[in-house]
Amino acid sequence: MIKSVSDFTDTMTRRSVCGFALLAPLCAKSRKLSAELLPLQFAGPLGIDAAWFDRQAKRQQLRIAQGSAEHIAYYFLQSKSFTSLEPIEPMRAAHAKLPLPQLRADHFLAAKPEGERHRIIRNLYDGLHWPLERCYEHTLSFLRAKEIDQAPLDQLYQSRGLSSDTSPDSLTGLSSIDIPAKRVLLVGPGLDLTRRENFSDDLPLKSYQLESLRARYPLVDAVDIRPEVIAHLGATPHDLTTQILPAQYDLIIATNVFVYLNDAELLCALTGLSLSLPVGGVLIHNDTRFAAKVFGESLQLPVEKYQPLSLGGRKWDRLVIHRKGPQ
Ligand SMILES: C[S@@+](CC[C@H](N)C(=O)[O-])C[C@H]1O[C@@H](n2cnc3c(N)ncnc32)[C@H](O)[C@@H]1O
């Protein structure tokens, strides 16, 4: 989406570069990934074949819808932009098993979108064809499973809806990355559209990671699966689990993305990304699962190091750094 003169200039520069087929790599569309490209010793046991890819396309549509439902619920519960009713904290609603707050729902549905955030949420709602009650119930049941029933986090996230959640905390990992690169790919930039906690209508509608990387590297492409992220950031539509990028990068960054993938999806994602890395190219993510190490080795993309990160207080994360080796 072009919102200012400088955005417009950037876009035009990138378009004309594409026209001459020089630098900008993402002029072409993503291609389909297929089972033959995956390491056989894992693809078979994980049940990945042509039919798996057909089912996966449908599964991703459902997960995008579930992610939209979360964004819609967090917004209609907490925004002050369309109502004078007090905001409702999603966790309070989950704990108290509050029925749908009908008056707030009515105000949301009757409001004319004024700001960009409301317009995006309204578009998600109109495209989803789920009643508000279903968005609300879906979101509360996820919160209950996570925070009250304390379901195992890895399983919960691997079947969770795909939302575009991000926050300034997403820069903590990036600031410690000190890898020289000409061509960088950010997978899943996210968009600060809604939050479960500390939501404000004044949050900047942006991807903190994309902005920060573009200030540090000469060429940064972004790919994403969610429609509002693609439209708002001018990212390229791409599903990591079913597609291959038509370009090469020296550095690929994907934080808080792999945790949404089960092992079969992770194998597909690593296979696709490894095809976009030349020898010496680096992939950075934050999923410390053993499978990422084992799959990486079979793709000549071994883990080079695990880099601990302090997120403040007693919270820690870890960057996983893979480097592409010779075939
Ligand atoms: C939780 S957000 C993380 C945003 C940001 N990277 C961060 O660390 O804060 C996950 C992002 O990955 C995108 N995503 C999830 N699954 C994807 C897939 N299969 N292919 C491409 N993008 C995906 C989502 O749409 C979203 O933008």
Side-chain angles (χ1 to χ4, degrees):
M1 178 157 301
I2 296 168
K3 294 195 288 18
S4 66
V5 174
S6 67
D7 284 355
F8 182 72
T9 323
D10 282 358
T11 309
M12 292 316 286
T13 310
R14 288 166 67 76
R15 277 193 195 138
S16 49
V17 169
C18 284
F20 292 110
L22 286 172
L23 274 171
L26 276 182
C27 301
K29 281 191 179 161
S30 299
R31 285 180 295 127
K32 280 188 178 170
L33 188 60
S34 61
E36 301 77 64
L37 293 167
L38 306 172
L40 270 180
Q41 70 271 36
F42 301 120
L46 287 167
I48 309 176
D49 54 14
W52 183 91
F53 281 99
D54 292 340
R55 289 195 302 276
Q56 179 65 5
K58 292 196 187 106
R59 172 172 148 87
Q60 295 295 71
Q61 285 313 310
L62 176 65
R63 292 183 81 189
I64 292 170
Q66 292 169 334
S68 299
E70 284 184 33
H71 284 303
I72 293 162
Y74 290 152
Y75 181 80
F76 105 85
L77 285 173
Q78 301 179 93
S79 172
K80 296 180 181 168
S81 73
F82 58 86
T83 182
S84 54
L85 294 169
E86 277 301 300
I88 299 172
E89 275 176 39
M91 259 329 283
R92 185 169 74 78
H95 267 291
K97 297 195 175 154
L98 278 188
L100 178 80
Q102 193 59 56
L103 200 52
R104 225 175 203 279
D106 292 345
H107 288 188
F108 167 69
L109 292 174
K112 281 214 180 91
E114 279 187 0
E116 181 67 355
R117 178 171 274 107
H118 195 109
R119 195 187 58 74
I120 293 175
I121 296 284
R122 184 71 213 201
N123 277 347
L124 290 180
Y125 179 74
D126 291 342
L128 183 59
H129 304 296
W130 287 15
L132 211 46
E133 182 137 32
R134 184 168 171 197
C135 299
Y136 179 69
E137 281 310 325
H138 171 82
T139 304
L140 260 54
S141 68
F142 168 75
L143 288 181
R144 277 190 212 109
K146 183 177 176 203
E147 305 291 345
I148 302 171
D149 304 337
Q150 310 221 316
L153 275 187
D154 48 356
Q155 281 170 30
L156 200 61
Y157 271 77
Q158 287 168 28
S159 58
R160 184 187 175 178
L162 303 176
S163 71
S164 56
D165 289 352
T166 193
S167 75
D169 289 350
S170 67
L171 294 177
T172 314
L174 289 197
S175 54
S176 69
I177 295 173
D178 185 18
I179 290 175
K182 284 200 177 117
R183 303 157 301 174
V184 176
L185 176 70
L186 178 60
V187 179
L191 187 69
D192 202 358
L193 182 60
T194 62
R195 293 186 189 178
R196 183 188 116 188
E197 288 168 318
N198 305 322
F199 172 78
S200 154
D201 291 294
D202 299 329
L203 291 174
L205 250 183
K206 67 178 184 182
S207 159
Y208 303 95
Q209 291 189 325
L210 187 57
E211 199 172 277
S212 156
L213 288 171
R214 286 201 166 143
R216 287 165 56 190
Y217 290 102
L219 193 151
V220 182
D221 281 321
V223 296
D224 206 280
I225 198 167
R226 289 203 52 88
E228 78 283 4
V229 178
I230 296 163
H232 196 79
L233 302 179
T236 297
H238 182 76
D239 178 0
L240 266 184
T241 68
T242 58
Q243 293 180 304
I244 311 171
L245 286 158
Q248 295 282 296
Y249 297 93
D250 312 306
L251 173 61
I252 300 181
I253 297 169
T255 64
N256 302 314
V257 179
F258 289 180
V259 287
Y260 288 80
L261 312 181
N262 61 30
D263 284 356
E265 292 167 327
L266 180 67
L267 179 67
C268 292
L270 286 171
T271 304
L273 294 178
S274 76
L275 294 170
S276 280
L277 287 166
V279 173
V282 171
L283 165 68
I284 299 182
H285 60 87
N286 62 337
D287 187 337
T288 52
R289 201 180 330 179
F290 186 60
K293 178 177 183 302
V294 177
F295 295 163
E297 278 159 13
S298 73
L299 292 160
Q300 282 75 47
L301 189 60
V303 174
E304 188 176 74
K305 70 171 172 174
Y306 294 91
Q307 187 170 306
L309 275 182
S310 167
L311 299 179
R314 294 170 62 188
K315 285 173 83 181
W316 286 85
D317 200 355
R318 198 169 279 246
L319 291 183
V320 184
I321 304 178
H322 299 246
R323 192 181 290 271
K324 186 76 179 269
Q327 294 300 312

